[in-house]
Amino acid sequence: MTVHLKDIAEYTGVSIKTVSNVVNGNFARVSAEKRQQVLDAIKKLNYQPNVAARHLRKAPVGVIAYAFPDLSNPYFSDVGNAITAAAAEQGYTILLDYTRSEREKELLVVKGLRPHLVDGIILDSHTLDVEDVPSDQTKGAIVLLGERLFGAPFDHVLIDNVAAARIATQHLLSLGRRRIAVIGVVEQCQSEAPSLRLQGYMQALNEAGQELDPLLLANGGLWHRADGAASMRYLLSLDSPPDAVFCFNDLMALGAMSVLHEAGLRIPEDIAIIGIDDIEDGRYAHPSLTTIAPDKEKMGQCAVSLLIGRIKGTRTQAPECVNVPFHLCIRKSTVGNAQ
Amino acid sequence: MTVHLKDIAEYTGVSIKTVSNVVNGNFARVSAEKRQQVLDAIKKLNYQPNVAARHLRKAPVGVIAYAFPDLSNPYFSDVGNAITAAAAEQGYTILLDYTRSEREKELLVVKGLRPHLVDGIILDSHTLDVEDVPSDQTKGAIVLLGERLFGAPFDHVLIDNVAAARIATQHLLSLGRRRIAVIGVVEQCQSEAPSLRLQGYMQALNEAGQELDPLLLANGGLWHRADGAASMRYLLSLDSPPDAVFCFNDLMALGAMSVLHEAGLRIPEDIAIIGIDDIEDGRYAHPSLTTIAPDKEKMGQCAVSLLIGRIKGTRTQAPECVNVPFHLCIRKSTVGNAQ
């Protein structure tokens, strides 16, 4: 039996307009409680969108959506640029869908309920769990990016986060730094990136016979510049401050650097800084920021080509997890003018 | 008579698939020549999309597209964030459409040919002329942002560029600077921003009785960090280098600052720097970047509310050009530790 919007309205006792708002991702005028009722009913009644858009979607439209969590982080702009270029090469257009890390918006993306006219989706999720996503690829082609939804039945493109973090930490150790802090720990984080990067850091310390000082593990918040700045202030307040800081992304590293400048400390002489992402901002910073550079072009090409394979049906094997390469990019924030 | 894709195919002698690719913005597999033929035929035959999407579009879907030119410039991310927040307040979802400043993509946006399921479009165009856009609002609600398409029959939201540039220049003059360069001039630019900002600069010099030295007008290219860096190198190579530089955006200012650091020059003691945009990057730079800060929240709110008025038919008056406020944000790159 086909389930319609009105069935959900009847089942939940809310208006069809409200159900429609939820299905289209327009939450602003829907209370959290009603929203949840509708989302629960969609799941329970197994609602499938049954509108003209659904019919259209059966014919290829040459459009792919890239759903990403944070428009303020240039890392996602870089990946978006790479995806857009790779898609254009293959004759596809990209629509950017900015989910603001909101669980409901990400849910609608994977359930194909957002009013997109797209053949497939490249999703960097920050909130979903495996049970939230369709159990097979037949409900729409999806490729995952980022450190979440491991084990979901989709091709997944990312870097080896543990290895990347180990190499970043080893670089600081190789320069003789012995009190290496991290910035970017997030308790109960929805993405696994913080814990994977923390693992790599701990592995490197362990291999070097260094003790872990829990005081040197600083919070990451939203991984923005302001979070890096706040955590750097905390680290400077310690009785025994660090001589190097490994920031789990470049944005936090840039925030941390601004605090060191304010405090009159020298980078890297007093404190060396390394990040991850290789955003352009870090290349032009003073001093230029040492970082782990994921191959974002490859990431975009790989995600697009896996997705198009699924869309066209030429790729039928079981989903794979594809690691793209990264490299340590040494700049002045760790080695000074030696660079 | 309704014109179909096959009519365009017959008229131009290309395949229906090729016409479809052009209409959907998938240019990668279409030669420039064929693309132009198809676009000319679309115009000549007055093709209107006549697909299910067209029917759907008659019913509101609660979605607005924000079409913007440059994903590498955080200014557009900031505006995108502001638009997304303002739209959510009103119960609308935003789709981001990244046109890469490509004329054909922008054309498809304004002609409603892109496969969007949207009620209206907020467009920051970098390539279109007034004759490219529909002659009335009946073909879809559009609100313009940015310094182009003046005189088009749409509501238009922007800052007073001439006043902004005059105030930036006056700030440098008030600090006693007398050789003030600009970075950001673009010959035959498709946007009017460079020429409007140049006007404001010249007005301020004129009011202060300062002569204009054409050698101090440096190129802007794509207005990226690399362009600011290249032009700063040029300015430093002059026999009589500047004592201050007004960059037409913050990204170029950050590029210019990196070159001053490399050259061992002090900011602002040797050369003061000011930008426009107030991107976060500049707030965390070393030294922090003085800038002209457009009220981007207001810009987003204003564009969204004008557009929703057109979509709902509650706004019927003639199109208006709305100036949003801006303010001079003084930081260390012009006044040093006085700030």
Side-chain angles (χ1 to χ4, degrees):
Chain A
M1 190 193 83
T2 309
V3 177
H4 298 280
L5 290 186
K6 74 171 167 42
D7 301 318
I8 296 172
E10 277 172 22
Y11 182 84
T12 53
V14 308
S15 71
I16 292 186
K17 173 75 184 150
T18 300
V19 176
S20 163
N21 275 336
V22 174
V23 166
N24 285 316
N26 307 327
F27 300 139
R29 290 182 172 168
V30 183
S31 70
E33 190 192 352
K34 280 191 184 165
R35 186 193 309 172
Q36 197 53 53
Q37 276 175 13
V38 172
L39 290 170
D40 290 347
I42 283 172
K43 195 164 182 179
K44 178 133 186 169
L45 302 178
N46 192 26
Y47 167 74
Q48 303 290 340
N50 184 25
V51 292
R54 191 70 186 168
H55 296 301
L56 274 172
R57 211 174 287 142
K58 289 178 183 164
V61 290
V63 181
I64 293 168
Y66 169 46
F68 66 102
D70 188 358
L71 191 52
S72 303
N73 187 339
Y75 169 76
F76 296 106
S77 305
D78 289 350
V79 173
N81 264 314
I83 287 174
T84 304
E89 286 277 316
Q90 308 263 338
Y92 280 77
T93 297
I94 292 292
L95 277 187
L96 303 175
D97 186 343
Y98 170 32
T99 61
R100 305 165 94 193
S101 297
E102 290 172 14
R103 175 174 161 78
E104 287 91 346
K105 297 222 159 153
E106 292 189 349
L107 266 177
L108 297 175
V109 168
V110 293
K111 291 187 185 303
L113 294 172
R114 296 262 273 181
H116 292 153
L117 222 49
V118 300
D119 300 326
I121 295 161
I122 296 173
L123 170 67
D124 195 325
S125 164
H126 271 208
T127 69
L128 300 183
D129 299 308
V130 171
E131 51 267 34
D132 294 322
V133 300
S135 53
D136 59 65
Q137 287 262 5
T138 61
K139 298 195 180 168
I142 295 180
V143 167
L144 300 171
L145 294 181
E147 290 70 36
R148 198 168 168 85
L149 289 174
F150 292 108
F154 304 113
D155 295 316
H156 197 153
V157 180
L158 73 176
I159 62 166
D160 180 338
N161 279 266
V162 177
R166 195 173 61 236
I167 287 170
T169 311
Q170 284 167 343
H171 172 60
L172 297 172
L173 288 164
S174 76
L175 298 169
R177 307 292 168 150
R178 287 299 173 265
R179 275 190 71 71
I180 301 173
V182 299
I183 295 182
V185 177
V186 187
E187 300 290 337
Q188 299 178 312
C189 183
Q190 294 159 320
S191 157
E192 293 190 33
S195 72
L196 294 171
R197 293 177 187 184
L198 190 60
Q199 271 177 50
Y201 162 81
M202 294 195 294
Q203 281 184 12
L205 288 194
N206 198 37
E207 285 159 17
Q210 293 280 311
E211 292 251 334
L212 179 76
D213 179 352
L215 286 176
L216 294 181
L217 306 182
N219 218 305
L222 296 172
W223 284 27
H224 285 173
R225 290 182 183 87
D227 303 303
S231 283
M232 193 70 240
R233 281 188 204 103
Y234 153 73
L235 290 170
L236 291 182
S237 76
L238 294 175
D239 288 337
S240 178
D243 58 9
V245 185
F246 166 31
C247 299
F248 287 174
N249 77 2
D250 282 359
L251 272 193
M252 291 187 284
L254 293 161
M257 278 168 54
S258 77
V259 168
L260 294 178
H261 284 304
E262 270 170 30
L265 291 165
R266 294 164 307 159
I267 308 167
E269 293 83 350
D270 299 315
I271 300 188
I273 302 279
I274 186 170
I276 295 187
D277 280 351
D278 191 26
I279 60 175
E280 189 181 84
D281 197 342
R283 283 173 239 154
Y284 283 86
H286 178 66
S288 56
L289 179 63
T290 296
T291 191
I292 297 285
D295 189 337
K296 289 174 271 188
E297 272 61 46
K298 194 121 196 177
M299 195 176 276
Q301 284 159 7
C302 189
V304 166
S305 108
L306 291 170
L307 187 66
I308 292 177
R310 297 290 179 188
I311 291 169
K312 293 189 170 164
T314 53
R315 181 172 166 80
T316 54
Q317 57 263 59
E320 284 176 87
C321 197
V322 181
N323 276 332
V324 295
F326 62 86
H327 71 278
L328 171 66
C329 188
I330 300 175
R331 301 204 188 97
K332 293 185 181 174
S333 70
T334 53
V335 297
N337 289 318
Q339 173 57 11
Chain B
M1 190 193 82
T2 308
V3 177
H4 297 281
L5 290 186
K6 72 172 168 43
D7 301 317
I8 296 172
E10 277 172 22
Y11 182 84
T12 52
V14 307
S15 71
I16 291 187
K17 175 72 185 152
T18 300
V19 175
S20 163
N21 275 336
V22 173
V23 166
N24 286 316
N26 307 327
F27 300 139
R29 290 181 171 169
V30 183
S31 70
E33 190 191 352
K34 278 191 184 164
R35 185 194 309 172
Q36 198 53 54
Q37 277 174 14
V38 172
L39 290 170
D40 290 347
I42 284 173
K43 193 163 185 178
K44 177 133 187 172
L45 302 178
N46 191 28
Y47 167 73
Q48 304 290 340
N50 183 27
V51 292
R54 190 72 187 167
H55 297 300
L56 274 172
R57 211 174 288 141
K58 288 179 183 163
V61 290
V63 182
I64 294 168
Y66 169 45
F68 65 102
D70 187 358
L71 191 53
S72 301
N73 186 339
Y75 169 77
F76 296 106
S77 304
D78 289 350
V79 174
N81 265 315
I83 288 174
T84 304
E89 285 278 315
Q90 308 263 338
Y92 280 77
T93 297
I94 293 291
L95 277 187
L96 303 175
D97 186 343
Y98 170 32
T99 61
R100 305 166 94 192
S101 297
E102 290 172 13
R103 174 173 161 78
E104 288 91 346
K105 298 221 159 151
E106 292 190 348
L107 266 177
L108 297 175
V109 168
V110 294
K111 292 188 184 302
L113 295 173
R114 295 263 273 181
H116 291 153
L117 221 49
V118 300
D119 301 326
I121 295 161
I122 296 172
L123 170 67
D124 196 326
S125 164
H126 271 208
T127 69
L128 300 184
D129 299 308
V130 171
E131 51 268 33
D132 294 322
V133 300
S135 54
D136 59 65
Q137 286 263 5
T138 61
K139 297 195 181 167
I142 297 180
V143 167
L144 300 171
L145 294 181
E147 291 69 36
R148 199 167 167 84
L149 288 175
F150 292 108
F154 303 113
D155 295 316
H156 197 152
V157 180
L158 73 176
I159 62 165
D160 181 339
N161 280 265
V162 177
R166 196 172 61 235
I167 287 170
T169 311
Q170 284 168 343
H171 172 61
L172 297 171
L173 287 164
S174 77
L175 297 169
R177 307 291 167 148
R178 288 298 173 267
R179 275 189 71 69
I180 301 174
V182 299
I183 295 181
V185 178
V186 187
E187 300 290 336
Q188 299 177 312
C189 183
Q190 293 158 319
S191 157
E192 293 190 33
S195 72
L196 293 171
R197 293 177 187 183
L198 191 60
Q199 271 177 50
Y201 161 81
M202 293 196 294
Q203 281 183 13
L205 287 194
N206 199 36
E207 285 159 16
Q210 292 279 311
E211 293 251 333
L212 179 76
D213 179 352
L215 284 176
L216 294 181
L217 307 182
N219 219 305
L222 297 171
W223 284 28
H224 284 172
R225 291 181 183 86
D227 303 303
S231 283
M232 192 72 239
R233 280 188 205 101
Y234 153 74
L235 290 170
L236 291 182
S237 76
L238 293 175
D239 288 338
S240 177
D243 57 10
V245 184
F246 166 31
C247 299
F248 286 174
N249 77 2
D250 282 359
L251 271 193
M252 290 187 285
L254 293 161
M257 278 168 52
S258 77
V259 169
L260 295 178
H261 285 304
E262 269 170 30
L265 292 165
R266 293 165 307 156
I267 308 167
E269 293 83 349
D270 298 316
I271 299 187
I273 302 278
I274 186 170
I276 294 187
D277 280 351
D278 191 27
I279 60 174
E280 189 181 84
D281 197 341
R283 283 173 238 154
Y284 284 85
H286 177 66
S288 55
L289 178 63
T290 296
T291 191
I292 297 285
D295 189 337
K296 288 173 272 188
E297 273 61 46
K298 193 123 198 175
M299 196 177 275
Q301 284 159 7
C302 189
V304 166
S305 108
L306 291 170
L307 186 66
I308 292 177
R310 297 289 179 188
I311 291 168
K312 293 189 169 165
T314 53
R315 180 172 166 80
T316 53
Q317 56 264 58
E320 283 176 87
C321 197
V322 181
N323 276 331
V324 294
F326 61 86
H327 71 278
L328 171 66
C329 188
I330 299 175
R331 301 204 189 96
K332 294 185 182 175
S333 70
T334 53
V335 299
N337 289 319
Q339 172 59 10

